Amino acid sequence: MRTISPSTDSLDLELAGLDALDVPVAPAPSAARRIWSASWPKLAAFAVLLFLWQLVVWLHLKPSYVLPGPVPVFHRLFDDIGNGRLVKATWYTMRRAGIGFGLAVVIGSLLGVAVARVKVLRAAIGSLITGLQTMPTIAWFPLAILLFHLSETAITFVVVLGAAPAIANGLISGVDHIPPILLRAGRVLGARGLSAYRHVIVPAALPGFVAGLKQGWAFAWRSLMAGELLVIIAKRPSLGQQLDFARTNADAQGLMATMVLILVIGIVVDSLLFGRLDRAIRHRWGLVDGAS
């Protein structure tokens, strides 16, 4: 009979423990699985929303010519897309959104970095930026129309004022939450001036900055819709203009169809742009399990 010494038994237990740790890591899910995992909650929420909408219609709280059901609204939506009416309107609206939001990103980023790093500027205009962010964007339109009349510049002016303060505040918050040890380590390694901003401050402040960009887009989109409702420019159809025309003509189906399209655009931009950017940052920082 083989005798097992205490030292041999202990070694076997240690080796068994090491073998237990050698567990194969589950392979990363396929692209189709990732897309489905990200899509089905949104599709389920959309289905619930449609059911509640149809339920209100079934209750006959409003006549059908005031509140149509999902089926006629989506039929009208596809018709307007097919004849090119909403496609052209979407093109003009998204072009305005891109120009206005792009300017807001540049202005808000420069302002945020300056206020975050210069104490005098923070004391002078830090509260002013927050005040501008809380101010209703619709309140800027009388001034914008007075300054720029009924023009593209008036719409862009309000979109920038609506989005830039949110972007600046997001960047300020991100810079404020940088651990001081990172800044000291950067200085020790020679990161000073613009080099410190490029290699230390901006990368460390990215989570707050992206949150500010996301909030700034929401303000820009709402400001743009308000502007297109108030500022009608000839031969430049837009989604806001389609809303106003549908309201004027008591076209409930056209009104609801345009609103559905505006909602879908907001969801798509958030998912494909800001959602992907946020996930990329969390993955870069090691906050996402690649196999989950």
Side-chain angles (χ1 to χ4, degrees):
M1 180 180 295
R2 176 171 173 255
T3 59
I4 301 177
S5 63
S7 60
T8 304
D9 188 32
S10 176
L11 179 61
D12 290 341
L13 291 175
E14 292 177 0
L15 291 175
L18 292 175
D19 291 339
L21 293 176
D22 190 18
V23 178
V25 178
S30 63
R33 186 178 180 85
R34 291 197 302 269
I35 293 174
W36 172 246
S37 298
S39 300
W40 80 259
K42 296 181 176 63
L43 296 175
F46 195 65
V48 171
L49 180 62
L50 291 179
F51 174 75
L52 294 176
W53 179 4
Q54 184 62 56
L55 182 62
V56 172
V57 174
W58 283 336
L59 293 174
H60 299 290
L61 299 178
K62 294 290 183 180
S64 59
Y65 61 85
V66 174
L67 183 62
V71 174
V73 168
F74 276 94
H75 187 270
R76 175 63 179 274
L77 174 63
F78 295 140
D79 284 346
D80 287 346
I81 292 176
N83 60 33
R85 181 183 304 171
L86 284 183
V87 174
K88 189 175 182 180
T90 302
W91 159 250
Y92 277 104
T93 294
M94 295 306 297
R95 188 178 70 171
R96 289 170 177 169
I99 293 173
F101 185 67
L103 290 174
V105 169
V106 173
I107 296 172
S109 300
L110 294 177
L111 185 62
V113 170
V115 171
R117 302 302 296 172
V118 181
K119 293 183 178 179
V120 175
L121 282 178
R122 179 181 289 249
I125 63 174
S127 299
L128 177 61
I129 295 175
T130 303
L132 291 174
Q133 182 178 349
T134 58
M135 187 171 178
T137 53
I138 194 67
W140 289 108
F141 271 102
L143 178 62
I145 294 173
L146 182 64
L147 293 175
F148 305 109
H149 308 289
L150 298 177
S151 64
E152 295 282 353
T153 306
I155 299 176
T156 304
F157 175 77
V158 177
V159 171
V160 172
L161 281 177
I167 296 171
N169 270 335
L171 185 52
I172 292 170
S173 177
V175 173
D176 287 345
H177 287 83
I178 297 176
I181 191 172
L182 290 181
L183 301 177
R184 291 196 295 269
R187 286 194 294 268
V188 170
L189 294 174
R192 300 177 183 275
L194 292 178
S195 179
Y197 281 96
R198 178 183 176 185
H199 298 289
V200 180
I201 296 175
V202 173
L206 271 181
F209 184 43
V210 171
L213 289 175
K214 189 173 182 179
Q215 190 176 30
W217 166 254
F219 279 108
W221 189 240
R222 290 190 297 179
S223 302
L224 179 58
M225 290 299 103
E228 290 184 344
L229 283 170
L230 295 176
V231 180
I232 306 297
I233 301 176
K235 297 182 181 180
R236 292 185 182 180
S238 62
L239 294 177
Q241 188 183 85
Q242 296 298 316
L243 287 176
D244 187 62
F245 285 172
R247 178 196 61 83
T248 303
N249 297 321
D251 182 7
Q253 291 185 9
L255 179 67
M256 297 292 290
T258 307
M259 291 178 65
V260 169
L261 180 59
I262 293 172
L263 176 63
V264 170
I265 291 174
I267 294 173
V268 169
V269 171
D270 177 72
S271 300
L272 297 185
L273 179 59
F274 298 108
R276 291 173 65 90
L277 185 59
D278 181 68
R279 287 191 297 271
I281 292 174
R282 290 189 288 117
H283 187 273
R284 182 71 178 268
W285 285 31
L287 302 175
V288 177
D289 185 2
S292 63

PDB file of all heavy atoms in Angstrom, residues 167-181:
ATOM      1  N   ILE A 167     -22.226  71.396 -22.429  1.00  0.00           N
ATOM      2  CA  ILE A 167     -20.936  70.797 -22.774  1.00  0.00           C
ATOM      3  C   ILE A 167     -19.835  71.360 -21.896  1.00  0.00           C
ATOM      4  O   ILE A 167     -18.976  70.621 -21.391  1.00  0.00           O
ATOM      5  CB  ILE A 167     -20.632  71.038 -24.263  1.00  0.00           C
ATOM      6  CG1 ILE A 167     -21.675  70.330 -25.127  1.00  0.00           C
ATOM      7  CG2 ILE A 167     -19.227  70.567 -24.617  1.00  0.00           C
ATOM      8  CD1 ILE A 167     -21.599  70.676 -26.607  1.00  0.00           C
ATOM      9  N   ALA A 168     -19.856  72.671 -21.672  1.00  0.00           N
ATOM     10  CA  ALA A 168     -18.848  73.294 -20.812  1.00  0.00           C
ATOM     11  C   ALA A 168     -18.942  72.766 -19.389  1.00  0.00           C
ATOM     12  O   ALA A 168     -17.920  72.438 -18.765  1.00  0.00           O
ATOM     13  CB  ALA A 168     -19.018  74.816 -20.833  1.00  0.00           C
ATOM     14  N   ASN A 169     -20.137  72.662 -18.854  1.00  0.00           N
ATOM     15  CA  ASN A 169     -20.294  72.159 -17.489  1.00  0.00           C
ATOM     16  C   ASN A 169     -19.868  70.704 -17.371  1.00  0.00           C
ATOM     17  O   ASN A 169     -19.313  70.288 -16.344  1.00  0.00           O
ATOM     18  CB  ASN A 169     -21.750  72.310 -17.038  1.00  0.00           C
ATOM     19  CG  ASN A 169     -22.017  73.648 -16.375  1.00  0.00           C
ATOM     20  OD1 ASN A 169     -21.122  74.279 -15.837  1.00  0.00           O
ATOM     21  ND2 ASN A 169     -23.259  74.086 -16.418  1.00  0.00           N
ATOM     22  N   GLY A 170     -20.123  69.892 -18.409  1.00  0.00           N
ATOM     23  CA  GLY A 170     -19.670  68.508 -18.380  1.00  0.00           C
ATOM     24  C   GLY A 170     -18.163  68.406 -18.333  1.00  0.00           C
ATOM     25  O   GLY A 170     -17.595  67.601 -17.580  1.00  0.00           O
ATOM     26  N   LEU A 171     -17.485  69.238 -19.120  1.00  0.00           N
ATOM     27  CA  LEU A 171     -16.022  69.224 -19.129  1.00  0.00           C
ATOM     28  C   LEU A 171     -15.466  69.759 -17.812  1.00  0.00           C
ATOM     29  O   LEU A 171     -14.481  69.224 -17.275  1.00  0.00           O
ATOM     30  CB  LEU A 171     -15.505  70.054 -20.298  1.00  0.00           C
ATOM     31  CG  LEU A 171     -13.992  70.044 -20.539  1.00  0.00           C
ATOM     32  CD1 LEU A 171     -13.475  68.617 -20.629  1.00  0.00           C
ATOM     33  CD2 LEU A 171     -13.644  70.822 -21.791  1.00  0.00           C
ATOM     34  N   ILE A 172     -16.093  70.800 -17.270  1.00  0.00           N
ATOM     35  CA  ILE A 172     -15.654  71.339 -15.975  1.00  0.00           C
ATOM     36  C   ILE A 172     -15.773  70.275 -14.888  1.00  0.00           C
ATOM     37  O   ILE A 172     -14.866  70.084 -14.065  1.00  0.00           O
ATOM     38  CB  ILE A 172     -16.477  72.593 -15.608  1.00  0.00           C
ATOM     39  CG1 ILE A 172     -16.153  73.739 -16.566  1.00  0.00           C
ATOM     40  CG2 ILE A 172     -16.211  73.019 -14.170  1.00  0.00           C
ATOM     41  CD1 ILE A 172     -17.089  74.923 -16.437  1.00  0.00           C
ATOM     42  N   SER A 173     -16.896  69.564 -14.873  1.00  0.00           N
ATOM     43  CA  SER A 173     -17.090  68.499 -13.893  1.00  0.00           C
ATOM     44  C   SER A 173     -16.061  67.390 -14.071  1.00  0.00           C
ATOM     45  O   SER A 173     -15.524  66.857 -13.091  1.00  0.00           O
ATOM     46  CB  SER A 173     -18.507  67.938 -14.003  1.00  0.00           C
ATOM     47  OG  SER A 173     -18.703  66.858 -13.124  1.00  0.00           O
ATOM     48  N   GLY A 174     -15.770  67.038 -15.326  1.00  0.00           N
ATOM     49  CA  GLY A 174     -14.770  66.003 -15.568  1.00  0.00           C
ATOM     50  C   GLY A 174     -13.392  66.401 -15.088  1.00  0.00           C
ATOM     51  O   GLY A 174     -12.673  65.597 -14.481  1.00  0.00           O
ATOM     52  N   VAL A 175     -12.997  67.654 -15.326  1.00  0.00           N
ATOM     53  CA  VAL A 175     -11.688  68.132 -14.875  1.00  0.00           C
ATOM     54  C   VAL A 175     -11.632  68.202 -13.353  1.00  0.00           C
ATOM     55  O   VAL A 175     -10.620  67.859 -12.733  1.00  0.00           O
ATOM     56  CB  VAL A 175     -11.389  69.510 -15.505  1.00  0.00           C
ATOM     57  CG1 VAL A 175     -10.107  70.099 -14.911  1.00  0.00           C
ATOM     58  CG2 VAL A 175     -11.244  69.381 -17.013  1.00  0.00           C
ATOM     59  N   ASP A 176     -12.731  68.628 -12.729  1.00  0.00           N
ATOM     60  CA  ASP A 176     -12.750  68.732 -11.263  1.00  0.00           C
ATOM     61  C   ASP A 176     -12.580  67.382 -10.582  1.00  0.00           C
ATOM     62  O   ASP A 176     -12.118  67.317  -9.432  1.00  0.00           O
ATOM     63  CB  ASP A 176     -14.060  69.372 -10.802  1.00  0.00           C
ATOM     64  CG  ASP A 176     -14.119  70.868 -11.096  1.00  0.00           C
ATOM     65  OD1 ASP A 176     -13.057  71.449 -11.390  1.00  0.00           O
ATOM     66  OD2 ASP A 176     -15.219  71.449 -11.038  1.00  0.00           O
ATOM     67  N   HIS A 177     -12.974  66.291 -11.253  1.00  0.00           N
ATOM     68  CA  HIS A 177     -12.909  64.970 -10.641  1.00  0.00           C
ATOM     69  C   HIS A 177     -11.664  64.187 -11.046  1.00  0.00           C
ATOM     70  O   HIS A 177     -11.585  62.985 -10.795  1.00  0.00           O
ATOM     71  CB  HIS A 177     -14.164  64.162 -10.998  1.00  0.00           C
ATOM     72  CG  HIS A 177     -15.395  64.626 -10.286  1.00  0.00           C
ATOM     73  ND1 HIS A 177     -16.155  65.682 -10.742  1.00  0.00           N
ATOM     74  CD2 HIS A 177     -15.983  64.209  -9.126  1.00  0.00           C
ATOM     75  CE1 HIS A 177     -17.171  65.881  -9.921  1.00  0.00           C
ATOM     76  NE2 HIS A 177     -17.094  65.009  -8.936  1.00  0.00           N
ATOM     77  N   ILE A 178     -10.685  64.866 -11.647  1.00  0.00           N
ATOM     78  CA  ILE A 178      -9.409  64.204 -11.928  1.00  0.00           C
ATOM     79  C   ILE A 178      -8.634  64.067 -10.621  1.00  0.00           C
ATOM     80  O   ILE A 178      -8.434  65.057  -9.900  1.00  0.00           O
ATOM     81  CB  ILE A 178      -8.586  65.020 -12.942  1.00  0.00           C
ATOM     82  CG1 ILE A 178      -9.316  65.113 -14.284  1.00  0.00           C
ATOM     83  CG2 ILE A 178      -7.214  64.398 -13.146  1.00  0.00           C
ATOM     84  CD1 ILE A 178      -8.611  65.981 -15.298  1.00  0.00           C
ATOM     85  N   PRO A 179      -8.171  62.882 -10.259  1.00  0.00           N
ATOM     86  CA  PRO A 179      -7.371  62.732  -9.034  1.00  0.00           C
ATOM     87  C   PRO A 179      -6.107  63.594  -9.098  1.00  0.00           C
ATOM     88  O   PRO A 179      -5.398  63.561 -10.118  1.00  0.00           O
ATOM     89  CB  PRO A 179      -7.025  61.232  -9.022  1.00  0.00           C
ATOM     90  CG  PRO A 179      -8.080  60.587  -9.858  1.00  0.00           C
ATOM     91  CD  PRO A 179      -8.428  61.587 -10.921  1.00  0.00           C
ATOM     92  N   PRO A 180      -5.818  64.350  -8.065  1.00  0.00           N
ATOM     93  CA  PRO A 180      -4.617  65.217  -8.095  1.00  0.00           C
ATOM     94  C   PRO A 180      -3.331  64.445  -8.347  1.00  0.00           C
ATOM     95  O   PRO A 180      -2.385  64.996  -8.914  1.00  0.00           O
ATOM     96  CB  PRO A 180      -4.622  65.862  -6.702  1.00  0.00           C
ATOM     97  CG  PRO A 180      -6.044  65.801  -6.260  1.00  0.00           C
ATOM     98  CD  PRO A 180      -6.601  64.537  -6.829  1.00  0.00           C
ATOM     99  N   ILE A 181      -3.298  63.169  -7.952  1.00  0.00           N
ATOM    100  CA  ILE A 181      -2.073  62.400  -8.148  1.00  0.00           C
ATOM    101  C   ILE A 181      -1.758  62.233  -9.630  1.00  0.00           C
ATOM    102  O   ILE A 181      -0.585  62.155 -10.027  1.00  0.00           O
ATOM    103  CB  ILE A 181      -2.191  61.025  -7.450  1.00  0.00           C
ATOM    104  CG1 ILE A 181      -0.824  60.336  -7.423  1.00  0.00           C
ATOM    105  CG2 ILE A 181      -3.233  60.155  -8.133  1.00  0.00           C
ATOM    106  CD1 ILE A 181      -0.811  59.066  -6.595  1.00  0.00           C
TER     107      ILE A 181
END
